[in-house]
Amino acid sequence: MKHFLWILALVVLSTVELVVAQSSQGIDDFKPSEVNQPGKAFPQVNSEGRVRAQISAPEAKLVQLDIGGVKYDMVKDENGLWTGESEPQDEGFHYYQLNIDGASVPDPGTKYFYGAGRWGSGIEIPAHDRDFYAMKEVPHGLVSEVNYFSKLTQSFRRCFVYTPPGYETNADKRYPVLYLQHGSFEDETGWPGQGKANLILDNLIAARKAVPMIIVMDNGYAFQPNDKAAAHARPVSVFEEVMITEIIPIIDARFRTLPDRKHRAIAGLSMGANQTMRIIMNNLDKFSSYGGFSGTSNYPSASEIDPATFLNGQFNDGKNVNEQIDVFWLGLGTKEPEPFPGSVGAFRKMLEKQGIGYEYYESPETAHEWQTWRRSLYQFSQLLFQD
Amino acid sequence: MKHFLWILALVVLSTVELVVAQSSQGIDDFKPSEVNQPGKAFPQVNSEGRVRAQISAPEAKLVQLDIGGVKYDMVKDENGLWTGESEPQDEGFHYYQLNIDGASVPDPGTKYFYGAGRWGSGIEIPAHDRDFYAMKEVPHGLVSEVNYFSKLTQSFRRCFVYTPPGYETNADKRYPVLYLQHGSFEDETGWPGQGKANLILDNLIAARKAVPMIIVMDNGYAFQPNDKAAAHARPVSVFEEVMITEIIPIIDARFRTLPDRKHRAIAGLSMGANQTMRIIMNNLDKFSSYGGFSGTSNYPSASEIDPATFLNGQFNDGKNVNEQIDVFWLGLGTKEPEPFPGSVGAFRKMLEKQGIGYEYYESPETAHEWQTWRRSLYQFSQLLFQD
């Protein structure tokens, strides 16, 4: 009986597949993605930026490629191998997943990256400007994993620390530090992983376009253990306190930093841009430069900002802000969706009204994704510590 | 028509599920595995070591938990949530996967680890002796990612380097080095990841049971670019040459090592035990101690070894081996399958016949898996550099 039912199910399903079958739409120059697992031929990308995924699922009824907010039906061949393609994707890195009979799972062909609140598949659409984050024969800095116990959160936390080429051998030299934060539903692996922060700086330093600097990449989620996040309330972040009273002292004790405000910058993307703007404006004795990549602290509002009240009035005295901050930098992708352009735009208007100087960069043809943020780091880091 | 066929398929499949349904067998004290992704409740482990996996796959016909070489059918509830349990597993870390209608995929509940030639799911069965690799409030060393270009392989390679607590602040101190290799179908992430090499040493050093040392964990796969691995022939490994002429010089230049044979040890697991035994015996001017975890260079043979010919006769002069090697260490799990006990046993007989002193350790109730190797590193590293 069981055997018969399986056969009946298969017959029914085969019919379903014929109904949904479709053929390839793309230019046939697909190549394996550069973030595939060793030896894996799929997923692939073509010159239009289409993604072609493939997975063996002989008994499945429906397999979909889920990328960029769209689920593309894949097609099964006689061997049970499903293949499917997406529409062209933007240049750069994207998270994606497969859907197998309703189960959302990582594609076993790719390496995995933390984003969207999960470890999942990623793909690289080769960008025209990918040279600036390519692995090259230049001196490479180290990325070190630092584990530490946080008294504030009563938990073990972790940051990654980039030390530039020459750090180990120039034992008397001290370096400026950039604190660099990820976005929401990401973690401390974002910048050294898909962000390629180390390669961006290795290449810039080799070309003498950036000052050798230390980069600290920590986790922006920090809560106290007694803050139980009841269903009706969001827990209160203590990330600013962790940054000021735990992370910075640990880094200054363990690495050869220049431990003063002049040689300390802070930046972040999206949620991290919002967090780090608050941190610098509340701690101008600790930091002298700021980078906000696709985010500002008025997020998600696009309304006019009242500098007398916004962030406790920290932008009210524009002259003081200009004197205190060496680099105030904002970046945004030209394809970012609301609320980002609206809230960043409202923030810029406030800066201009207050006469506060700032740099503004737009990443061409990229959305709220890592290519915008790689380019932002590339632009921003060249301006830091120029004295 | 399509809609009708889907409904028919679902009706048929529901019947199939009833046929294969089974209820939970385990003691009901399941807890989330410690290597789950943040916030994920599944997979879970109970006090017997059973693994309970769960995944939403509303349209699937058959979902299985694939662990320890056995595929366990999972059972679907009315919401399309599949749950299934394994038989009790050995203490420690195991690779596993899910199978959804014939597709082998990682479980989206876990962090991912490289083993069996892929990035895939892992689970921890809490071991009675897990304290020795627990994250504790002790000083923690750093694990640093070192990227380098290898001329021999014409490729970028990577190693992870553990520097012990105090390395950064004791700027004049130099340290001995252990070169530590993974097994087949694993990579350089194995020891700092599932192997917990850094935590094992942090805890040993804090307890003053091991000398502070640097540990270098590289990738044991190294081939020349013109060695095209024709279908009929395996490519020839150049790992020994990479180790001697590239890795060691890079490490000695970049880290504060004690760059002599007396302060250099080499060890590995399984394939890595085989490789590193060859490397030390061919390079006694470079290394003075050896650890073979679940492997020896006569693998997979269990035949009697002729020391006059084995490894170019390097074990023929037992007295010389005793003089040259400070620690010669072998370890094996009591549950390891053949050919490991047979080949390690034959190797030990040869050592005894030659009058070569060695240490031998058996990991209780573990197989050819990471708990054996964590324990091996714990035992072995305590004996190193005792002068």
Side-chain angles (χ1 to χ4, degrees):
Chain A
M1 175 64 182
K2 180 178 166 183
H3 188 63
F4 164 76
L5 287 169
W6 276 118
I7 290 170
L8 177 56
L10 286 174
V11 169
V12 172
L13 293 172
S14 304
T15 315
V16 174
E17 285 140 25
L18 287 175
V19 175
V20 299
Q22 60 181 51
S23 62
S24 169
Q25 302 297 313
I27 296 171
D28 196 17
D29 59 357
F30 286 89
K31 295 194 180 84
S33 161
E34 69 176 69
V35 292
N36 280 6
Q37 295 185 30
K40 296 292 175 77
F42 286 89
Q44 300 186 340
V45 182
N46 80 352
S47 55
E48 300 167 289
R50 290 181 199 269
V51 174
R52 181 184 281 175
Q54 186 172 91
I55 190 167
S56 171
E59 309 299 325
K61 286 192 295 259
L62 178 65
V63 180
Q64 294 172 307
L65 166 60
D66 181 359
I67 186 168
V70 178
K71 289 179 180 165
Y72 300 90
D73 285 1
M74 296 168 69
V75 177
K76 186 163 82 165
D77 73 8
E78 65 274 16
N79 299 315
L81 204 56
W82 295 76
T83 307
E85 282 164 26
S86 75
E87 290 298 305
Q89 305 293 308
D90 291 341
E91 293 186 336
F93 177 90
H94 308 285
Y95 302 114
Y96 80 100
Q97 62 187 354
L98 299 179
N99 193 289
I100 302 173
D101 285 346
S104 291
V105 294
D107 182 339
T110 77
K111 292 178 184 163
Y112 303 125
F113 304 86
Y114 194 74
R118 61 163 192 254
W119 283 94
S121 287
I123 195 151
E124 280 285 345
I125 311 298
H128 74 280
D129 58 346
R130 62 189 178 276
D131 184 71
F132 79 82
Y133 51 84
M135 176 78 82
K136 296 186 200 177
E137 280 195 64
V138 297
H140 289 284
L142 296 183
V143 176
S144 300
E145 178 185 337
V146 180
N147 291 296
Y148 64 96
F149 184 76
S150 159
K151 286 184 182 165
L152 274 164
T153 65
Q154 287 292 307
S155 65
F156 287 99
R157 293 175 52 90
R158 177 171 75 162
C159 61
F160 289 97
V161 177
Y162 169 81
T163 46
Y167 179 88
E168 302 89 47
T169 42
N170 296 314
D172 294 327
K173 188 169 155 72
R174 303 186 79 88
Y175 295 81
V177 186
L178 167 62
Y179 290 82
L180 183 62
Q181 289 299 123
H182 60 82
S184 57
F185 302 107
E186 295 176 331
D187 72 7
E188 69 276 17
T189 64
W191 273 113
Q194 54 270 48
K196 297 185 183 276
N198 54 325
L199 298 179
I200 292 169
L201 266 290
D202 287 343
N203 291 335
L204 280 172
I205 292 167
R208 298 183 174 275
K209 288 183 176 172
V211 169
M213 66 184 79
I214 294 168
I215 303 182
V216 178
M217 300 158 277
D218 206 292
N219 189 311
Y221 291 98
F223 305 102
Q224 292 196 297
N226 55 357
D227 186 347
K228 285 294 183 199
H232 59 283
R234 291 178 66 176
V236 177
S237 173
V238 292
F239 180 63
E240 179 171 333
E241 294 88 326
V242 170
M243 173 63 78
I244 298 298
T245 67
E246 299 190 323
I247 301 171
I248 291 176
I250 286 167
I251 296 301
D252 282 341
R254 194 146 189 186
F255 294 88
R256 296 195 315 278
T257 63
L258 290 162
D260 56 30
R261 68 178 297 280
K262 199 76 189 160
H263 298 95
R264 213 180 273 131
I266 190 164
L269 73 90
S270 194
M271 177 184 84
N274 182 337
Q275 289 178 310
T276 56
M277 181 186 289
R278 291 171 196 273
I279 292 174
I280 186 173
M281 297 313 291
N282 289 335
N283 300 275
L284 282 168
D285 60 323
K286 298 279 192 307
F287 302 94
S288 57
S289 290
Y290 168 76
F293 308 166
S294 306
T296 43
S297 296
N298 57 321
Y299 172 89
S301 168
S303 305
E304 187 178 347
I305 296 172
D306 177 3
T309 56
F310 177 64
L311 290 193
N312 302 318
Q314 299 280 9
F315 291 95
N316 211 22
D317 182 351
K319 186 160 170 284
N320 180 57
V321 174
N322 284 333
E323 283 170 6
Q324 297 275 321
I325 297 187
D326 292 334
V327 179
F328 198 104
W329 195 98
L330 299 173
L332 195 66
T334 62
K335 293 175 74 173
E336 297 212 30
E338 293 301 342
F340 301 104
S343 59
V344 171
F347 184 81
R348 292 175 62 203
K349 274 190 196 142
M350 183 276 288
L351 290 183
E352 284 157 20
K353 189 174 158 196
Q354 298 301 101
I356 296 171
Y358 71 101
E359 307 278 337
Y360 182 63
Y361 167 76
E362 283 192 347
S363 168
E365 297 298 310
T366 61
H368 201 67
E369 291 195 276
W370 277 99
Q371 193 68 7
T372 301
W373 306 322
R374 291 168 175 169
R375 290 174 178 166
S376 292
L377 178 61
Y378 176 76
Q379 297 290 336
F380 171 66
S381 61
Q382 297 184 52
L383 305 179
L384 292 177
F385 312 124
Q386 298 292 327
D387 53 25
Chain B
M1 176 63 180
K2 180 177 165 186
H3 188 64
F4 164 76
L5 286 169
W6 277 117
I7 290 170
L8 177 56
L10 286 174
V11 169
V12 172
L13 293 171
S14 303
T15 316
V16 175
E17 285 141 23
L18 287 174
V19 177
V20 299
Q22 60 181 50
S23 62
S24 169
Q25 302 297 314
I27 296 172
D28 195 19
D29 58 358
F30 285 88
K31 296 194 180 82
S33 161
E34 68 176 70
V35 291
N36 280 5
Q37 294 186 29
K40 296 291 176 76
F42 286 88
Q44 301 186 339
V45 183
N46 79 353
S47 55
E48 299 168 288
R50 290 182 198 268
V51 174
R52 181 184 282 176
Q54 186 172 91
I55 189 168
S56 171
E59 309 299 325
K61 287 193 294 259
L62 179 64
V63 180
Q64 294 172 308
L65 165 61
D66 180 359
I67 186 166
V70 178
K71 289 180 181 164
Y72 300 90
D73 286 0
M74 296 167 71
V75 177
K76 185 162 82 165
D77 74 8
E78 65 276 15
N79 299 313
L81 204 56
W82 295 76
T83 307
E85 282 164 26
S86 75
E87 289 297 306
Q89 305 293 307
D90 291 342
E91 292 186 336
F93 177 90
H94 308 285
Y95 302 114
Y96 80 99
Q97 62 187 356
L98 299 180
N99 193 288
I100 302 173
D101 285 345
S104 292
V105 293
D107 183 339
T110 77
K111 292 177 185 166
Y112 302 123
F113 304 87
Y114 194 74
R118 62 163 191 253
W119 282 94
S121 287
I123 195 153
E124 280 285 346
I125 311 298
H128 74 280
D129 58 346
R130 62 189 179 275
D131 185 70
F132 79 83
Y133 51 84
M135 176 77 83
K136 296 186 200 179
E137 280 194 63
V138 298
H140 290 283
L142 296 183
V143 176
S144 301
E145 178 184 337
V146 180
N147 290 296
Y148 63 96
F149 184 76
S150 159
K151 286 183 182 164
L152 275 163
T153 65
Q154 287 293 306
S155 65
F156 287 99
R157 292 176 53 89
R158 178 171 74 163
C159 61
F160 289 97
V161 177
Y162 169 81
T163 46
Y167 180 88
E168 302 90 44
T169 43
N170 295 315
D172 295 327
K173 188 169 156 71
R174 302 185 78 88
Y175 294 83
V177 186
L178 166 62
Y179 290 82
L180 183 63
Q181 289 299 121
H182 61 83
S184 58
F185 302 107
E186 295 175 332
D187 71 7
E188 69 276 17
T189 64
W191 273 114
Q194 54 271 45
K196 297 183 183 277
N198 54 326
L199 298 179
I200 292 169
L201 265 289
D202 287 342
N203 291 335
L204 280 172
I205 292 167
R208 299 184 172 275
K209 288 182 175 174
V211 169
M213 66 184 79
I214 294 169
I215 304 181
V216 178
M217 299 159 278
D218 207 292
N219 189 310
Y221 291 98
F223 306 101
Q224 293 196 299
N226 54 357
D227 187 346
K228 285 293 184 200
H232 59 281
R234 289 179 65 176
V236 177
S237 173
V238 293
F239 179 64
E240 179 172 334
E241 294 88 327
V242 170
M243 173 65 77
I244 299 298
T245 67
E246 298 190 324
I247 301 172
I248 292 177
I250 286 167
I251 297 300
D252 283 341
R254 193 144 190 189
F255 294 89
R256 296 194 314 278
T257 62
L258 290 162
D260 57 31
R261 70 177 298 280
K262 198 76 189 159
H263 298 95
R264 213 181 274 130
I266 190 164
L269 72 90
S270 195
M271 176 185 85
N274 182 337
Q275 289 178 310
T276 56
M277 182 187 289
R278 291 171 195 272
I279 292 174
I280 186 173
M281 297 313 290
N282 289 336
N283 300 277
L284 282 168
D285 60 323
K286 297 278 192 307
F287 302 95
S288 57
S289 289
Y290 168 75
F293 309 165
S294 305
T296 43
S297 296
N298 57 320
Y299 173 89
S301 167
S303 305
E304 187 177 348
I305 296 172
D306 177 1
T309 56
F310 177 65
L311 289 192
N312 303 318
Q314 300 279 8
F315 291 95
N316 211 22
D317 183 350
K319 186 159 169 285
N320 181 56
V321 175
N322 284 334
E323 283 170 5
Q324 297 275 320
I325 297 188
D326 292 334
V327 179
F328 198 104
W329 196 98
L330 299 173
L332 195 65
T334 61
K335 293 176 74 173
E336 297 212 29
E338 292 300 341
F340 301 102
S343 59
V344 172
F347 184 82
R348 292 175 61 202
K349 274 189 197 144
M350 183 276 287
L351 290 182
E352 283 158 19
K353 188 174 158 196
Q354 298 302 102
I356 296 171
Y358 71 100
E359 306 279 337
Y360 181 64
Y361 167 76
E362 284 192 345
S363 168
E365 298 298 311
T366 60
H368 200 67
E369 292 195 276
W370 277 99
Q371 193 67 5
T372 301
W373 307 322
R374 291 168 176 169
R375 288 173 179 166
S376 292
L377 178 62
Y378 176 78
Q379 298 290 336
F380 172 65
S381 60
Q382 296 184 53
L383 305 179
L384 293 177
F385 313 123
Q386 299 293 325
D387 52 27

